[in-house]
């Protein structure tokens, strides 16, 4: 029978093992792949608000920004298709790369994909730092996108497969933690380089640092037992499993991994397989979670924060400092998810975060509507600007302990081995597609929807919160190869998952 290992027992199986220092260090090193994505998210908005950068590459935007004639409202100061293409081209490249990365991850292993991602990002960062024309800048962005695509495909899967079930959520969220650290680091660098004539070169070029760290780190990582078994290295896989669990007796878990791999080998076309009815829950969540994650509006704040704050009347240094503050909140709030996700579960974080984001977006949209109206003329007082920043920080914190980390954790843990690479590639592709879409149209949407843009995103947050209430089953503390029983016990998804029985050796049979 083609398909995953479906465990029909009603009790969750718990494997023997300890939380070893080896697995903690390994996951920490692998999670550095998130630094690449985070650094780029944070650096882009700051660089595109630096005047020397705009003068060199986007003189039309600079002239429009300096226009004091009143012909342009505050909402439309940065509306320029070439400028948004600079930002969004990376995510289009990441979308394309995710499909190549799926094959690399499956055939060569997770660590090979991480190394490739670091190498692409390294070359892209150097091209951007030394760019002399717009073509060189865009090519560099495309290579950065390939790096992000490879890392976002391989790192969450690597972390989920290496981690013991009881702390899988916390270790997987190391990826999101590194993303937030990357964003904060980028914001701080932008703040200190913004007044330098070639500060933008420093900001873009420093992206090579996390890329080098990942390339070096990937050499010292062991691959996951799941991946090694998938590539026929059973003896090495057992030794690795013993090492990461800290015990010699791993026979039960090892046998389950082998069984899952044998089932996976029956699947010749994982992309075709994931569209089968039995995998409808996995395909749905690997598609809708990244879709909803981008339509929370978070990347509007993350990679356009300095531009957004500048649009709302903050000065240049004030706008960059505000971005540093929101970046700091992002890091601190991610710690909340790390310490709570395996204690309280995924669903409660999804729901609390959704409610908090919705309320904050309504308040922020209302404040901008009252001050700027439809005309886009107005300004905030110092107190009002601080209040606005406070609610934006509340919004960022809600995302950072809910849809931010869970958007990467849940898709990486719900797919059985035979569709795991395809499922994660779908997750990355959808994420990058809508990151590209939001990046490409945000400044135009801000120009035309004005304050209504925040209500637009609030509406989607409401929809996605209702979706979680109705359709998301709790996946906390379930071994990754036994996840199918979660769908079987859910009121809606049970009709898609076939019934199986379990023999005395814990093998699924038709």
């Amino acid at each position: 029978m083609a398909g995953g290992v479906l465990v029909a027992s009603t009790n969750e199986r718990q494997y023997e093992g300890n939380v070893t220092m080896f697995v903690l260090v390994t996951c920490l090193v692998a999670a550095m792949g998130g630094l690449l994505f985070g650094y780029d998210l944070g650096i882009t908005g700051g660089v595109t608000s630096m005047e020397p950068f705009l003068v060199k590459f986007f003189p039309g935007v600079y002239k429009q920004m300096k226009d004091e004639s009143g012909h342009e409202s505050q909402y439309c100061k940065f509306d320029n298709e070439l400028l948004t293409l600079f930002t969004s081209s990376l995510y289009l490249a990441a979308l394309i790369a995710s499909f190549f990365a799926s094959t690399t991850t499956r055939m060569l292993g997770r660590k090979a994909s991480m190394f490739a991602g670091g190498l692409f990002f390294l070359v892209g960062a150097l091209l951007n730092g030394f760019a002399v024309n717009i073509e060189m800048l865009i090519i560099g962005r495309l290579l950065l996108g390939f790096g992000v695509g490879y890392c976002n495909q391989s790192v969450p899967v690597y972390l989920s497969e290496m981690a013991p079930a009881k702390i899988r959520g916390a270790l997987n969220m190391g990826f999101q933690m590194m993303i937030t650290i990357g964003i904060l680091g980028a914001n701080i660098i932008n703040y200190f380089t913004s007044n330098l004539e070639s500060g933008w070169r420093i900001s873009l070029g420093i992206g090579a640092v996390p890329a080098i760290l990942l390339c070096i780190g990937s050499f010292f990582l062991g691959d996951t037992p799941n991946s090694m078994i998938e590539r026929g290295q059973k003896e090495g896989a057992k030794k690795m499993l013993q090492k990461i669990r800290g015990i010699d007796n791993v026979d039960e878990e090892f046998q389950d991994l082998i069984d899952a791999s044998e089932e996976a080998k029956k699947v010749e076309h994982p992309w075709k397989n994931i569209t089968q009815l039995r995998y409808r829950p996995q395909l749905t969540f690997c598609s809708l979670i990244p879709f909803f994650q981008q339509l929370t509006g978070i990347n509007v704040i993350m990679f356009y924060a300095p531009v957004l704050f500048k649009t709302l009347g903050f000065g240049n240094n004030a706008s960059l400092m505000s971005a540093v503050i929101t970046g700091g909140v992002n890091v601190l709030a991610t710690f909340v998810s790390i310490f709570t996700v395996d204690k309280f579960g995924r669903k409660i974080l999804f729901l609390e975060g959704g409610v908090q984001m919705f309320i904050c977006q309504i308040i922020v949209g209302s404040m901008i509507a009252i001050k700027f109206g439809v005309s886009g003329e107005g300004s905030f007082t110092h107190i009002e600007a601080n209040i606005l920043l406070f609610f934006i920080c509340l919004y960022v914190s809600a995302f950072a302990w809910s849809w931010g980390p869970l958007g990467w954790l849940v898709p990486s843990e719900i797919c059985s081995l035979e569709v795991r690479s395809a499922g994660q590639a779908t997750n990355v592709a959808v994420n990058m597609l809508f990151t590209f879409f939001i990046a490409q149209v945000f400044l135009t949407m801000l120009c035309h929807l004005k304050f209504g843009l925040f209500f637009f995103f609030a509406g989607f947050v409401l929809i996605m919160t209702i979706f979680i209430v109705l359709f998301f089953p709790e996946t906390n503390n379930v071994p990754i190869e036994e996840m199918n029983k979660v769908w079987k016990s859910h009121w809606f998804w049970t009709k898609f998952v076939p019934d199986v029985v379990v023999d005395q050796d814990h093998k699924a049979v038709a």
Side-chain angles (χ1 to χ4, degrees):
M1 173 182 83
V5 180
L6 307 181
V7 182
S9 63
T10 57
N11 297 317
E12 296 169 359
R13 190 181 315 172
Q14 297 295 326
Y15 300 118
E16 294 183 43
N18 305 310
V19 179
T20 63
M21 183 57 64
F22 174 79
V23 79
L24 293 176
V25 172
T26 297
C27 288
L28 178 64
V29 173
M32 285 196 302
L35 280 177
L36 279 59
F37 191 24
Y39 187 82
D40 186 80
L41 282 173
I43 213 70
T44 306
V47 167
T48 53
S49 70
M50 293 181 186
E51 294 184 3
F53 177 81
L54 293 175
V55 169
K56 185 170 181 63
F57 296 107
F58 306 98
V61 178
Y62 178 74
K63 183 179 178 181
Q64 191 170 295
M65 185 179 73
K66 291 297 184 180
D67 183 9
E68 301 294 341
S69 64
H71 296 148
E72 293 285 352
S73 77
Q74 286 290 95
Y75 294 120
C76 301
K77 289 270 185 190
F78 290 87
D79 184 18
N80 179 276
E81 289 186 6
L82 195 58
L83 180 63
T84 54
L85 180 62
F86 165 73
T87 300
S88 60
S89 58
L90 181 149
Y91 306 104
L92 185 61
L95 164 64
I96 297 169
S98 64
F99 295 104
F100 292 101
S102 171
T103 301
T104 305
T105 302
R106 188 176 68 254
M107 297 182 66
L108 301 180
R110 286 46 166 158
K111 61 179 287 184
S113 279
M114 286 188 275
F115 176 77
L119 198 59
F120 278 123
F121 201 91
L122 173 61
V123 177
L126 293 176
L127 276 176
N128 274 186
F130 292 105
V132 294
N133 53 47
I134 190 69
E135 291 80 11
M136 197 171 172
L137 205 62
I138 296 297
I139 292 171
R141 291 290 292 172
L142 293 175
L143 288 173
L144 290 173
F146 268 79
V148 168
Y150 267 80
C151 287
N152 287 6
Q153 156 72 22
S154 54
V155 173
V157 171
Y158 184 94
L159 295 173
S160 286
E161 290 181 346
M162 289 294 273
K166 59 186 176 183
I167 60 166
R168 186 177 63 242
L171 289 184
N172 191 286
M173 284 182 176
F175 180 67
Q176 177 68 15
M177 172 59 68
M178 288 297 181
I179 291 177
T180 64
I181 292 173
I183 292 171
L184 176 60
N187 289 335
I188 294 172
I189 289 169
N190 278 337
Y191 181 76
F192 286 107
T193 61
S194 61
N195 294 320
L196 302 176
E197 184 63 29
S198 296
W200 62 270
R201 290 191 184 276
I202 298 172
S203 292
L204 294 176
I206 287 179
V209 175
I212 292 172
L213 290 176
L214 181 63
C215 286
I216 295 173
S218 64
F219 272 115
F220 298 98
L221 294 177
D223 222 329
T224 69
N226 314 60
S227 178
M228 296 172 76
I229 291 172
E230 192 175 25
R231 291 177 287 126
Q233 302 171 13
K234 291 184 180 180
E235 185 175 339
K238 187 168 186 178
K239 290 180 180 178
M240 177 58 69
L241 188 61
Q242 290 170 333
K243 193 172 184 179
I244 63 179
R245 297 294 180 253
I247 58 173
D248 292 328
N249 183 19
V250 294
D251 293 345
E252 184 180 16
E253 183 175 5
F254 183 65
Q255 186 59 50
D256 282 347
L257 294 179
I258 290 177
D259 292 343
S261 179
E262 291 302 319
E263 289 294 322
K265 287 179 181 177
K266 298 177 184 178
V267 180
E268 296 181 3
H269 306 289
W271 285 103
K272 182 179 179 181
N273 204 60
I274 200 172
T275 62
Q276 292 179 8
L277 201 63
R278 69 171 64 212
Y279 299 110
R280 191 57 45 81
Q282 291 91 331
L283 181 61
T284 298
F285 281 93
C286 284
S287 301
L288 286 184
I289 284 184
F291 168 74
F292 283 141
Q293 187 192 52
Q294 294 312 305
L295 286 168
T296 59
I298 188 62
N299 281 343
V300 168
I301 301 296
M302 288 298 107
F303 53 60
Y304 282 124
V307 171
L308 179 63
F309 287 127
K310 212 168 183 179
T311 297
L312 296 176
F314 290 65
N316 185 49
N317 284 342
S319 67
L320 289 170
M321 179 50 71
S322 298
V324 171
I325 293 171
T326 56
V329 169
N330 197 16
V331 172
L332 293 175
T334 303
F335 276 108
V336 175
S337 65
I338 289 175
F339 290 110
T340 59
V341 66
D342 292 313
K343 184 176 182 180
F344 299 113
R346 284 68 163 145
K347 193 165 188 174
I348 189 67
L349 292 182
F350 268 133
L351 298 181
E352 193 285 331
V355 171
Q356 187 171 321
M357 284 191 292
F358 177 78
I359 293 171
C360 291
Q361 283 171 318
I362 294 297
I363 292 173
V364 169
S366 299
M367 287 183 66
I368 296 173
I370 292 170
K371 277 295 173 181
F372 289 87
V374 176
S375 67
E377 297 177 2
S379 63
F380 287 113
T381 66
H382 181 70
I383 293 176
E384 290 167 340
N386 285 334
I387 293 173
L388 180 79
L389 180 60
F390 171 76
F391 281 106
I392 287 178
C393 286
L394 276 184
Y395 161 78
V396 169
S397 66
F399 176 86
W401 61 57
S402 61
W403 282 89
L406 295 175
W408 297 108
L409 167 62
V410 171
S412 72
E413 72 178 359
I414 61 174
C415 292
S416 46
L417 185 62
E418 68 273 13
V419 294
R420 191 166 300 152
S421 291
Q424 185 62 12
T426 300
N427 176 40
V428 174
V430 173
N431 191 299
M432 293 300 110
L433 175 63
F434 283 95
T435 302
F436 168 78
F437 174 75
I438 295 296
Q440 188 64 29
V441 305
F442 164 66
L443 293 176
T444 301
M445 290 175 71
L446 180 63
C447 183
H448 294 284
L449 291 180
K450 303 174 174 58
F451 60 83
L453 181 62
F454 293 90
F455 299 140
F456 169 83
F457 287 124
F460 271 100
V461 170
L462 180 62
I463 292 170
M464 65 184 73
T465 302
I466 294 172
F467 172 79
I468 291 295
V469 169
L470 295 177
F471 298 110
F472 181 70
E474 183 57 67
T475 59
N476 186 32
N477 206 29
V478 180
I480 194 169
E481 300 301 343
E482 297 190 19
M483 198 63 69
N484 274 292
K485 71 171 193 169
V486 173
W487 309 115
K488 190 60 189 172
S489 63
H490 188 269
W491 71 272
F492 181 78
W493 301 117
T494 184
K495 56 189 173 187
F496 297 100
V497 180
D499 290 312
V500 296
V501 296
V502 177
D503 64 20
Q504 62 183 359
D505 295 321
H506 301 296
K507 294 182 180 179
V509 294

